[in-house]
Amino acid sequence: PASADPVLPYRDPARPIEERADDLLGRMTLEEKIGQMVAIWEHRGRIQAPNGGFSAQRAGRAFPHGLGMVSRPSDRRGQENAPAANKGPRETAEWVNAAQRWAVERTRLGIPILFHEEALHGYVARDSTSFPQSIALASTFDPQLVEREFNVASREMRARGVHLALAPVVDVARDPRWGRIEETY
């Protein structure tokens, strides 16, 4: 793959970001650009072995031009006969690492995959720290406490290879009948 050539402008961290992005976009085919817009969750079986491990062969067949994002790598969606519990930290990190190896080493341009998880009250995954919901955190009127708690969540997520957190922002709840009011600050 082109990703093996470190002299390509888009691979050179010393170059300006805009130049790197322009170079990468100029090299991408339409199919590769579309591939970067694809995010999977429900149909993760397309990139997994029956035991739930990441399958480079299945991924290559299903997404020959790359894959943009995988949602919730800690859950077991797409795994045949999955146990009730989701993946623990080590299993999640191994799955994410295998997927990244495929993306970086076996796709033409070596564009890494983004991974996202939920962080409504800390990292919502097995063996991670759970904090009070946002509405309870807001009632403390202590922004530094909220920041410390989400620093914990970010470290736990990053240790498993996750880049993005779906977390509350300043949702303003105007109607108590809305079913997710506990997610608001």
Side-chain angles (χ1 to χ4, degrees):
S3 62
D5 187 352
V7 298
L8 293 172
Y10 79 92
R11 307 277 306 158
D12 183 357
R15 292 182 184 254
I17 291 172
E18 187 172 317
E19 180 184 333
R20 294 175 68 194
D22 288 344
D23 179 66
L24 177 59
L25 288 169
R27 293 174 189 278
M28 292 175 80
T29 65
L30 178 61
E31 292 81 9
E32 287 167 333
K33 290 173 182 173
I34 292 168
Q36 289 305 304
M37 294 190 300
V38 173
I40 63 168
W41 181 23
E42 292 291 329
H43 303 288
R44 196 168 318 138
R46 296 176 69 192
I47 61 173
Q48 292 183 154
N51 70 357
F54 180 81
S55 170
Q57 294 75 24
R58 285 186 179 194
R61 282 193 306 271
F63 301 101
H65 304 290
L67 176 61
M69 185 169 70
V70 173
S71 301
R72 307 292 314 270
S74 66
D75 79 17
R76 294 193 185 277
R77 288 190 194 266
Q79 181 177 340
E80 297 174 16
N81 302 314
N86 284 333
K87 299 174 191 142
R90 181 181 195 93
E91 188 180 3
T92 301
E94 289 171 351
W95 196 97
V96 167
N97 288 341
Q100 287 295 32
R101 255 189 316 281
W102 167 76
V104 172
E105 297 173 5
R106 297 184 63 186
T107 63
R108 187 176 81 87
L109 295 172
I111 301 170
I113 299 170
L114 293 174
F115 295 92
H116 92 258
E117 289 274 8
E118 295 279 351
L120 297 172
H121 49 79
Y123 178 22
V124 183
R126 212 168 120 204
D127 299 328
S128 26
T129 310
S130 186
F131 296 105
Q133 272 286 17
S134 308
I135 202 164
L137 293 176
S139 70
T140 68
F141 295 93
D142 188 346
Q144 290 78 28
L145 174 65
V146 175
E147 185 174 340
R148 286 196 328 259
E149 289 178 357
F150 279 94
N151 280 335
V152 170
S154 70
R155 286 192 308 273
E156 290 176 343
M157 293 172 88
R158 201 62 196 112
R160 299 181 200 200
V162 175
H163 306 91
L164 300 171
L166 300 183
V169 291
V170 185
D171 292 335
V172 178
R174 292 190 166 95
D175 187 338
R177 295 171 296 176
W178 182 49
R180 297 176 75 165
I181 201 166
E182 79 282 357
E183 294 179 12
T184 69
Y185 283 112

